[in-house]
């Protein structure tokens, strides 16, 4: 006897292409170098296509190639299985703390310039090893955000606070600025969708120098997610109004006039790395891989490679309305693939279609898709 419906557990929902993204991916994949395309994981493909929705397929393909090359060079897929070199020194000099989640299941991540010693970090840790440690920190954030999102795999982004207390013109030397830019670049270039909102807090006048250099690297959509703020009275209320309870905010945030006092001490990213090094009493990670990993046997080749041999669902004749006259033209044979949708009337006759993109082939003509309301 089958168990009652309430006893049947639905499989956890996984990150997946939307209809529009599924139509777009084959064109991106076609532009990816042949030796790189077989290495692209399903989550990586989805997140890059989603994160660069307004870019040309050829430009998105370059992002895919750069990210695959970077993950291979720095062994990022194994970042949650072993500590990076010089990890203790890195996390001592560049502190990153992970706090609680807000009402939308977005974790709060905080870095404070006053807790860093970037100049000493540059002297003690070679730049390549700094990059490996930064990648490991980002992978930790990814794993914790995925766990916080629970049954919503599309909730990829976290809330990031970068507090600029302690930043002055004297501390912002060219070498310090270069190192900070390098770490920021890793986060922006190789983790699409990871940043939901960024609060740059306690921004001093010297920050204008950094902002002039960083701003050109950011797209319009990302710029809309960045808030440059003064002290806690300026941003604490905004964060609470955005869904972050005091229990999820760092305990150094205090805004008496708004009645906000942060309560979270947070957990240092270095503590999770210490657990990977075998230290007892350290917090463990919920997963050893993230959705940005390279391809594994668990990925669906039909999703990643299926664009080359589309599955036919239906063939039939349709008539297209004239763009200006509104009259129906003579029937044209179309082939509907798995990624397309036909719009049928009661007489099972397609009365219109739109958006010449990909998915439905008109014999002897170009490729386009038939879209419309659900049947």
């Amino acid at each position: 006897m089958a168990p009652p419906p309430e006893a049947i557990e639905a499989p956890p929902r996984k990150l997946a292409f939307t209809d529009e993204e599924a139509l777009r991916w084959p064109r991106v994949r076609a532009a990816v170098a042949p030796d790189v395309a077989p290495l692209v994981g399903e989550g990586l493909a989805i997140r890059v296509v989603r994160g660069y929705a307004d870019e040309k397929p050829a430009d998105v393909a370059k992002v895919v190639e750069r990210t695959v090359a970077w993950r291979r060079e720095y062994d990022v897929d194994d970042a949650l299985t072993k500590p990076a070199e010089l990890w203790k020194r890195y996390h001592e000099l560049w502190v990153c703390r992970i706090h609680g989640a807000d009402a939308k299941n977005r974790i709060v991540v905080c870095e404070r310039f006053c807790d860093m010693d970037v100049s000493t970090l540059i002297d003690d840790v070679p730049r390549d090893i700094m990059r490996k440690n930064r990648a490991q920190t980002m992978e930790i954030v990814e794993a914790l955000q995925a766990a916080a999102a629970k049954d919503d795999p599309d909730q990829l982004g976290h809330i990031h606070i970068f507090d600029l207390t302690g930043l002055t013109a004297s501390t912002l030397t060219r070498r310090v600025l270069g190192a900070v830019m390098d770490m920021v670049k890793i986060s922006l270039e190789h983790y699409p969708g990871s940043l939901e909102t960024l609060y740059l807090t306690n921004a001093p006048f010297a920050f204008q120098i950094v902002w002039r250099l960083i701003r050109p690297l950011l797209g319009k959509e990302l710029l809309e997610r960045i808030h440059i703020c003064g002290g806690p009275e300026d941003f604490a209320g905004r964060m609470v109004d955005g869904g972050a309870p005091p229990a999820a905010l760092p305990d150094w945030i205090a805004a008496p006039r708004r009645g906000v006092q942060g309560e979270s001490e947070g957990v240092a990213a270095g503590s999770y790395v210490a657990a990977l090094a075998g230290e007892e009493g350290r917090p463990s990670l919920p997963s050893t891989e993230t959705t940005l990993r390279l391809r594994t046997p668990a990925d669906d080749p039909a999703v990643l490679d299926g664009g080359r041999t589309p599955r036919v669902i239906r063939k039939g004749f349709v008539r297209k309305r004239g763009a200006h006259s509104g009259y129906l033209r003579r029937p044209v044979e179309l082939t509907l693939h798995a990624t397309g949708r036909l719009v049928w009337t009661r007489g099972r006759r397609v009365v219109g279609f739109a958006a010449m993109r990909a998915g439905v082939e008109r014999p002897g003509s170009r490729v386009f898709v038939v879209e419309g309301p659900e049947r």
Side-chain angles (χ1 to χ4, degrees), residues 20 23 27 318-323 334-336 339-344 350-362 366-373:
E20 185 175 355
L23 293 169
R27 289 179 291 162
V318 298
R319 292 198 289 174
K320 180 182 178 183
R321 289 187 182 277
L334 299 178
T335 303
L336 176 64
T339 53
R341 291 177 296 173
L342 289 175
V343 185
W344 295 89
V350 175
V351 295
F353 58 89
M356 296 183 182
R357 284 188 289 192
V360 180
E361 295 182 10
R362 170 180 166 185
R366 66 192 195 181
V367 177
F368 57 96
V369 64
V370 178
E371 292 188 319

Side-chain angles (χ1 to χ4, degrees), residues 61-329:
K62 291 178 182 178
V63 175
V64 172
E65 292 171 356
R66 286 197 301 268
T67 299
V68 168
W70 173 77
R71 294 189 73 86
R72 297 183 73 190
E73 179 181 359
Y74 291 100
D75 198 20
V76 182
D77 276 13
D78 289 333
L80 300 184
T81 63
K82 59 186 178 182
E85 299 174 68
L86 299 177
W87 65 272
K88 285 188 176 181
R89 190 59 172 157
Y90 173 87
H91 287 284
E92 177 187 349
L93 299 171
W94 187 302
V95 179
C96 175
R97 303 188 76 84
I98 295 94
H99 299 269
D102 70 0
K104 298 180 181 178
N105 296 325
R106 301 171 298 185
I107 62 172
V108 177
V109 179
C110 181
E111 296 173 300
R112 306 191 74 191
F113 193 81
C114 60
D115 291 336
M116 302 177 183
D117 187 345
V118 182
S119 183
T120 302
L121 179 65
I122 296 169
D123 292 334
D124 293 1
V125 181
R127 183 61 60 88
D128 268 2
I129 296 179
M130 284 176 60
R131 291 175 183 140
K132 286 185 177 181
N133 278 278
R134 182 62 177 180
Q136 187 163 60
T137 297
M138 289 302 300
E139 294 289 302
I140 289 170
V141 170
E142 285 278 317
L144 294 174
Q145 175 56 51
K150 300 176 182 176
D151 297 327
D152 185 7
D154 294 318
Q155 181 54 67
L156 302 166
H158 69 275
I159 306 299
H160 204 106
I161 303 171
F162 199 107
D163 184 63
L164 300 170
T165 299
L167 179 66
T168 64
S170 61
T171 58
L172 193 61
T173 62
R174 179 173 296 183
R175 63 202 296 263
V176 167
L177 180 58
V180 172
M181 290 287 292
D182 199 8
M183 300 300 103
V184 170
K185 188 176 179 181
I186 288 173
S187 303
L188 296 180
E189 284 196 353
H190 303 303
Y191 289 88
S194 178
L195 182 65
E196 179 79 12
T197 306
L198 171 63
Y199 292 94
L200 296 167
T201 60
N202 291 305
F205 178 78
F207 174 69
Q208 294 182 17
I209 302 172
V210 182
W211 186 240
R212 282 199 297 267
L213 295 172
I214 294 178
R215 187 183 178 93
L217 301 176
L218 311 178
K220 180 181 177 181
E221 182 185 5
L222 184 56
L223 284 170
E224 293 173 349
R225 300 183 181 187
I226 297 176
H227 304 281
I228 302 176
C229 312
E233 294 289 355
D234 182 23
F235 66 84
R238 197 183 314 183
M239 294 185 69
V240 171
D241 293 342
L249 296 180
D251 53 13
W252 57 266
I253 294 178
R257 288 202 299 270
R258 292 297 304 266
V260 177
Q261 172 62 60
E263 302 172 4
S264 173
E265 181 181 351
V267 179
S271 292
Y272 292 101
V273 183
L276 298 179
E279 294 187 11
E280 296 183 0
R282 299 290 190 167
S284 59
L285 289 165
S287 174
T288 58
E289 64 178 32
T290 69
T291 56
L292 287 167
R293 57 163 174 71
L294 301 182
R295 190 183 296 203
T296 70
D299 288 319
D300 186 352
V303 172
L304 291 168
D305 306 323
R308 292 184 174 180
T309 56
R311 180 169 59 90
V312 174
I313 294 179
R314 185 191 301 272
K315 290 186 178 181
F317 288 89
V318 298
R319 292 198 289 174
K320 180 182 178 183
R321 289 187 182 277
H324 302 291
S325 66
Y327 290 110
L328 289 172
R329 298 174 180 172

